[in-house]
Amino acid sequence: FIIVLLAITAMASAQNAPPARGCGPWFEPTLLADRSDTLLGLPDGSFLVDARRLVPRPALPFVAREGASDPDAGAGRAARARVTGREAALYQHGAAAFHAGDDDTARLAFQALLALPLSERRARGAYAAFSLGRLGEARSFAEVRQLVGSGAADDDEGLAVASYGEEARLALHGGRDVEAIRLYATQASFDSSSGATSLLFVARAVIDDPKRLRRVLRDPVGQRLIATWAWTRSGESRTTANSERWEDAADADRRLRQVLQALLREHGELAGADALAAALYRTGRFDAAAAVVARAADSGLANWVRAKLALRAGDRLLADELLARAIERTPAAERWPGDLYGDSVGLAPRARLIGERAALALADDRGDDAMHLLWSVHRDYWTDVATVAERVLSTDALMRFVDALPATDAEAGAAPDPDDGMIWSGTSTDLRGLLARRLLREHRLAE
């Protein structure tokens, strides 16, 4: 009877329980559980983030709209935009021929549209030029950008940005790797995920071909691309070029060693030296990392690597200074996705750097400094905040810290969605609750 009663009770409870999430589990990120690994290890970077800054973004009014550049629907677009006259007729005629596979007729119609006076082809001039590019006339992609830069319509397609990628594809098929890389890098600089992903596929192809790799490494942008791959994607597994076999760890390690050696053979001002130094550090080649990072610009990543090397040399004071410099040079809003498509929580590098400074403060018995540093990134490292609040600070020190917080919890309405993985982000209300429990355990009931 008792077993049956328990079963009925369990069934009733299950019916009233909230639905369970099938994915997970979500483990809260922590920096203090293994402080040695936190301070001496270097986390994975993000290729798709770094690929967007291989080259400076041109000062042009272009906007990326991924998946938009499809000339097949040209007639419909012209109708929606209320384009009339010769421009509309020529574009609709060309788009219909393009869609039907009649390339010659489409080409003639688009060329006739582009021959119209500028005032009569502002609505669909860029679209016609883009379509000509798709028909094999590579120079037309540059004309797309020229037209959009001078005010031609590009409002719902992002053709100007897409034209970089289309032109890059033609260059790649023509064996012009460096030209393709520069075009894809420019596309990516407009925050185009398509351009960044294309660069990843180009990098993979290049590193598997020693001749192509040598040619690409003669170019500064090519150097930065390959160094970025070495830092952020070197451990990836994939099928080999001519089989369905997944390569093993030995294959990946051998390929990485070859790429690093090719990069190290470059002389003078190596572009991407900070990324190469990070890759060398992550593979345990600390002397080589030190030599390369000495040639690197004063970037956030370079200072991060320098801080790691200082820690290995036992200089915690210098390491703290270098981490502070790295924080200054790391964008506050930057977040590295956890994988290629960014569907995991990922890592905020600036928050991680601040957390490493907190770990250093704890190593020097500066608990108050550690608490202030961690509280500034408590949305990312709430577990570490709670650890310091519970196990490092005295109750009175924690009370002083809490008393200095704003009287109202401005974050109360900004709690994250529990379904997005970030279920660990605490608020000042949570910290007050933690303090209250400590006071309760110490029988300080009135306080």
Side-chain angles (χ1 to χ4, degrees):
F1 173 80
I2 293 174
I3 293 174
V4 173
L5 181 61
L6 289 173
I8 293 172
T9 303
M11 290 173 64
S13 298
Q15 289 176 348
N16 295 321
R21 289 191 290 272
C23 295
W26 296 108
F27 294 105
E28 302 178 14
T30 175
L31 299 176
L32 302 184
D34 187 346
R35 277 186 269 174
S36 177
D37 180 69
T38 294
L39 291 174
L40 297 179
L42 190 64
D44 290 327
S46 169
F47 183 94
L48 294 187
V49 171
D50 276 4
R52 301 182 186 199
R53 49 192 177 216
L54 290 179
V55 299
R57 178 185 297 189
L60 294 167
F62 299 163
V63 178
R65 303 190 190 280
E66 308 290 22
S69 52
D70 178 14
D72 292 359
R77 282 199 303 263
R80 290 197 304 273
R82 300 183 184 279
V83 182
T84 60
R86 290 185 295 174
E87 183 180 21
L90 287 169
Y91 188 77
Q92 290 170 356
H93 183 55
F98 185 101
H99 184 70
D102 186 352
D103 292 352
D104 291 338
T105 299
R107 185 177 291 108
L108 289 172
F110 293 136
Q111 289 172 343
L113 190 157
L114 290 172
L116 294 173
L118 182 61
S119 61
E120 295 184 34
R121 53 185 168 93
R122 287 190 176 278
R124 287 295 173 260
Y127 294 79
F130 190 91
S131 297
L132 283 174
R134 292 280 293 273
L135 291 169
E137 298 186 13
R139 65 182 183 278
S140 294
F141 288 123
E143 188 174 3
V144 172
R145 299 189 289 273
Q146 181 182 359
L147 287 165
V148 174
S150 63
D154 187 25
D155 50 350
D156 61 346
E157 300 298 329
L159 296 180
V161 173
S163 71
Y164 288 111
E166 294 289 341
E167 188 175 352
R169 179 175 56 84
L170 295 178
L172 195 64
H173 290 170
R176 304 187 303 279
D177 289 331
V178 170
E179 180 183 346
I181 288 169
R182 284 178 168 268
L183 286 164
Y184 278 134
T186 305
Q187 181 187 18
S189 73
F190 287 97
D191 292 329
S192 165
S193 59
S194 176
T197 304
S198 297
L199 284 168
L200 176 58
F201 286 107
V202 172
R204 286 170 173 169
V206 165
I207 62 176
D208 286 335
D209 186 328
K211 291 183 179 179
R212 293 178 70 183
L213 181 60
R214 284 195 295 271
R215 288 197 299 268
V216 165
L217 290 183
R218 298 190 190 112
D219 179 69
V221 180
Q223 291 173 2
R224 281 195 288 272
L225 172 66
I226 302 304
T228 297
W229 176 89
W231 171 43
T232 62
R233 304 293 300 189
S234 59
E236 63 184 4
S237 295
R238 63 179 190 270
T239 56
T240 58
N242 299 313
S243 76
E244 296 299 322
R245 180 182 68 84
W246 286 93
E247 59 184 7
D248 56 26
D251 292 331
D253 289 344
R254 181 167 50 255
R255 183 179 63 241
L256 176 58
R257 287 196 300 272
Q258 293 170 349
V259 171
L260 292 177
Q261 283 303 118
L263 284 163
L264 287 170
R265 284 194 292 268
E266 296 302 315
H267 301 291
E269 293 296 325
L270 173 67
D274 52 355
L276 175 56
L280 291 165
Y281 185 91
R282 284 172 57 83
T283 57
R285 300 177 64 177
F286 304 122
D287 290 341
V292 171
V293 82
R295 301 159 57 188
D298 198 29
S299 67
L301 180 58
N303 283 303
W304 204 346
V305 175
R306 290 169 183 141
K308 301 293 182 183
L309 293 169
L311 281 169
R312 288 192 171 275
D315 193 339
R316 292 208 296 258
L317 181 60
L318 175 59
D320 188 58
E321 293 175 357
L322 289 167
L323 286 174
R325 288 170 61 182
I327 291 167
E328 292 175 356
R329 290 158 177 78
T330 302
E334 183 168 314
R335 185 170 288 274
W336 296 343
D339 55 34
L340 177 61
Y341 299 106
D343 59 0
S344 61
V345 174
L347 177 144
R350 192 171 187 274
R352 165 69 185 241
L353 286 160
I354 292 172
E356 290 188 13
R357 288 197 72 200
L360 273 180
L362 287 179
D364 292 332
D365 295 323
R366 294 184 286 114
D368 288 342
D369 290 343
M371 186 65 181
H372 280 88
L373 286 164
L374 285 170
W375 183 252
S376 70
V377 293
H378 68 275
R379 301 285 290 175
D380 288 274
Y381 296 108
W382 165 249
T383 298
D384 293 326
V385 171
T387 297
V388 174
E390 284 275 18
R391 303 178 60 184
V392 177
L393 297 186
S394 68
T395 303
D396 289 335
L398 178 58
M399 183 177 288
R400 288 193 296 272
F401 181 85
V402 169
D403 285 344
L405 295 176
T408 58
D409 187 0
E411 298 174 298
D417 181 351
D419 288 321
D420 72 357
M422 296 186 66
I423 59 175
W424 49 79
S425 298
T427 66
S428 57
T429 296
D430 298 315
L431 189 60
R432 293 178 193 279
L434 187 152
L435 171 60
R437 289 189 291 276
R438 283 195 65 175
L439 292 167
L440 185 65
R441 291 195 298 270
E442 296 177 15
H443 304 289
R444 298 165 64 173
L445 304 185
E447 291 171 288

